[in-house]
Amino acid sequence: MASDFQSTVCISGAVLMLLFSLMAVVLNSCLLIVLYKDRTKSLKSTTSLYVTSLAILHLLFGSVVSTAAAESYITCAQDIEDTAHSMSAFSRISFSLLIRTENYVMLAFSVERLGNISYPVFHPRADKMKNTLIGLASIVVYSVGFSIFEIAAAQRWIRKLDLHFNVVIPLAATITLTVLLYKALRRFNGLYAEQDPCDSSSGKKSRCRTRLKKQILLSSAFIFVIFLFAISLLPFWNLLLYEVYCSNCAQHYWFFAAFRLCVAFTFLRTALTPSIYYIRIPEFRKGVKMVFCGMFEEQSFRVKLFNRSKNSSGKVTVIYL
């Protein structure tokens, strides 16, 4: 393989990967801080568990996996590596482990979102949180166990099994559920515009409306997350499928360039997913301002000064919205 061509491809891929990785580490760290320091408790739900899980995966992807991949790209630019795949076993295993875990987390997240929109029955929060934690723990255990099995077997048919069973099937199921979620969301919005889904005789009507509106915003944000997830990983997965059924394709120049650049492009979703939450979810925007802009303390101080000047009894009533 021509040295100049290989160096150009690897340097370009390394620049993209390091840029996306840096954004992923910074933005996902901010996301985790906002979720941890949520003073209004408006982000405490089963959805926040999935968001937290994805943020942790993306943070690991942008720090651990990118560090291992950067070494591969550097050696590739120096003509030490001349293959499309990384020669580092740790880089390959950590990359596949995190993507496999994220794929199943996305599938579970789509089930949760579709259930909350299609059947908006609000079960006790403690039970839902416990079941969600058990599901996420099971996904991690399965992913780690399959990685151990992959290392122990070290056979080509394991790659085919992994690609079809842990990529194609979960991805197809996630996309199908997301399409159903989109249709349910449109139908729900139509019904919401025509009639009030909340019981008019209930004293908790305003709370019901707020909760339903929150579910709609969370579901719309999730659809954008799935769209970003698909466009950043589908090119990489298509090349993997092509390679599985083509024994000599890795020797072509175009495959080397496409595979190296697609690996770097997979880091795109880790960098942009927190921005989707910030744009689409008002509670998250408020949480960011409270944590990083001091809006919470500033509003509390202003309300206290106002009430002290108007209330002679000295009692202060502070309402956080």
Side-chain angles (χ1 to χ4, degrees):
M1 185 174 294
S3 176
D4 293 339
F5 174 78
Q6 179 175 327
S7 299
T8 301
V9 170
C10 292
I11 291 174
S12 301
V15 170
L16 286 176
M17 184 189 64
L18 292 176
L19 176 62
F20 293 149
S21 299
L22 180 61
M23 292 176 60
V25 171
V26 173
L27 295 180
N28 284 285
S29 298
C30 293
L31 173 59
L32 291 173
I33 292 173
V34 170
L35 292 172
Y36 177 73
K37 292 183 174 292
D38 179 28
R39 302 180 186 182
T40 63
K41 306 300 180 183
S42 59
L43 299 173
K44 303 298 182 183
S45 62
T46 55
T47 303
S48 68
L49 290 178
Y50 288 108
V51 173
T52 302
S53 301
L54 290 175
I56 293 174
L57 288 174
H58 291 169
L59 183 61
L60 291 174
F61 210 92
S63 56
V64 178
V65 177
S66 65
T67 302
E71 180 183 1
S72 173
Y73 277 85
I74 291 173
T75 56
C76 172
Q78 296 174 345
D79 293 337
I80 298 176
E81 285 188 21
D82 57 354
T83 60
H85 290 275
S86 172
M87 296 179 64
S88 171
F90 175 77
S91 177
R92 295 195 304 270
I93 295 299
S94 60
F95 189 88
S96 62
L97 170 63
L98 292 181
I99 287 187
R100 185 185 305 118
T101 305
E102 184 180 359
N103 210 4
Y104 280 105
V105 170
M106 284 293 189
L107 177 58
F109 200 176
S110 63
V111 173
E112 188 264 349
R113 284 291 86 216
L114 182 60
N116 277 314
I117 290 297
S118 301
Y119 306 99
V121 179
F122 303 105
H123 302 286
R125 179 176 296 183
D127 294 339
K128 294 179 68 175
M129 299 282 278
K130 179 181 178 181
N131 294 334
T132 303
L133 286 173
I134 293 175
L136 291 173
S138 301
I139 291 173
V140 173
V141 170
Y142 168 77
S143 298
V144 173
F146 195 94
S147 295
I148 295 173
F149 173 68
E150 184 180 13
I151 295 172
Q155 298 292 330
R156 184 177 176 83
W157 65 269
I158 298 296
R159 291 182 56 195
K160 293 184 178 180
L161 178 65
D162 182 30
L163 191 58
H164 289 85
F165 192 73
N166 295 322
V167 173
V168 176
I169 295 177
L171 179 63
T174 301
I175 293 176
T176 302
L177 292 174
T178 304
V179 172
L180 294 176
L181 173 63
Y182 176 73
K183 292 183 178 180
L185 197 60
R186 293 190 60 181
R187 183 172 62 253
F188 188 83
N189 283 327
L191 293 175
Y192 191 81
E194 295 176 359
Q195 61 182 2
D196 193 351
C198 298
D199 187 6
S200 59
S201 62
S202 174
K204 300 180 179 179
K205 185 175 180 180
S206 60
R207 184 179 179 182
C208 174
R209 287 178 176 176
T210 302
R211 188 175 286 184
L212 290 176
K213 183 179 179 181
K214 182 179 179 180
Q215 295 297 332
I216 292 174
L217 292 174
L218 290 173
S219 298
S220 64
F222 173 74
I223 291 175
F224 282 98
V225 170
I226 288 296
F227 179 75
L228 178 62
F229 175 75
I231 64 173
S232 62
L233 286 174
L234 276 177
F236 171 72
W237 282 333
N238 285 332
L239 288 176
L240 283 181
L241 278 172
Y242 182 78
E243 184 187 22
V244 165
Y245 295 101
C246 175
S247 58
N248 299 322
C249 62
Q251 300 176 2
H252 300 305
Y253 281 15
W254 70 265
F255 183 86
F256 174 85
F259 194 88
R260 284 283 181 173
L261 292 176
C262 284
V263 169
F265 192 68
T266 58
F267 289 80
L268 175 66
R269 77 196 188 284
T270 66
L272 297 184
T273 298
S275 301
I276 296 177
Y277 300 140
Y278 182 83
I279 295 171
R280 301 294 302 179
I281 304 175
E283 287 84 0
F284 182 69
R285 288 199 299 271
K286 187 181 296 184
V288 171
K289 294 177 181 178
M290 288 178 180
V291 173
F292 296 103
C293 302
M295 189 183 75
F296 193 94
E297 291 80 6
E298 183 180 354
Q299 287 188 352
S300 302
F301 180 72
R302 289 180 178 178
V303 173
K304 288 180 180 180
L305 286 180
F306 176 80
N307 286 338
R308 283 177 181 173
S309 62
K310 296 294 184 180
N311 193 348
S312 59
S313 63
K315 294 182 178 179
V316 180
T317 303
V318 182
I319 300 176
Y320 299 109
L321 300 177

